[in-house]
Amino acid sequence: MVLRALAGTCHREVVLIYKILLPAEWAGFETSGRFDGSPFDRSSGFIHCSSRAQVGATAVRVFPQEPALVVIAIDTRALGDSVRWEPASNGGPFPHVYAPLSLSAVVAVHPIADPSSVEEVLPREQLGRVSRRPGPLNLRLPDLATVRPVPIGIATVPAVLILKLRWPVPWVLGISAVLGLAATLAHGLA
């Protein structure tokens, strides 16, 4: 979880913020793995970002003549205390990042044809659910022909409860123990 300060009030939740980039800025960011900000960001002393609710209007207001944009979604948990939600002259608190952005903080990249299409292209944010870009995994998967259905069910239920429904781990451990005991008893009686 991340501690987010929003106009003096603290909230604990996963928060995505969005940075609008020109295609050349995104190419440089992707190549170097780091983004120190646009010239405007550097002159301001921080990297300007937007919430999901703000990003569409920001694109139209700041980039009206740009033929193409790239909007990146950033997981604030990766930014730590460098994110501050501060009042802006054009309404509401905006997220400002007081550190360079790392490519590892980027969870989604959205090429945008023109500023007015941001709202159509970006998915609606679901708080608490952040999908990371796929990376290399070294997993040995069992041969499905040798796996019995009950153990697969026992393994699947906790994964769904934790990853999809966001249940607390201690609850899921308790449920898993009960399911394991029930499967053992059922197998022993069969």
Side-chain angles (χ1 to χ4, degrees), residues 89-159:
S89 60
N90 50 0
F94 277 78
H96 297 155
V97 180
Y98 286 85
L101 295 176
S102 169
L103 196 57
S104 64
V106 177
V107 296
V109 178
H110 305 280
I112 307 293
D114 66 86
S116 64
S117 65
V118 168
E119 287 299 321
E120 298 166 18
V121 173
L122 289 182
R124 284 280 153 211
E125 181 175 84
Q126 297 177 359
L127 292 179
R129 292 186 166 73
V130 178
S131 61
R132 291 219 165 254
R133 293 183 312 202
L137 296 176
N138 295 319
L139 298 176
R140 287 193 87 212
L141 299 176
D143 179 14
L144 292 179
T146 64
V147 178
R148 295 187 355 222
V150 171
I152 290 176
I154 292 172
T156 304
V157 168

Side-chain angles (χ1 to χ4, degrees), residues 19-42 46-49 63 70 72 74 79 97-104 106:
K19 177 63 183 164
I20 304 168
L21 300 168
L22 299 174
E25 291 172 329
W26 169 244
F29 186 2
E30 201 171 25
T31 300
S32 71
R34 172 184 168 122
F35 181 69
D36 293 312
S38 66
F40 179 65
D41 293 332
R42 290 191 300 275
F46 55 83
I47 297 174
H48 293 265
C49 293
F63 300 97
V70 176
I72 59 173
I74 304 162
L79 303 177
V97 180
Y98 286 85
L101 295 176
S102 169
L103 196 57
S104 64
V106 177

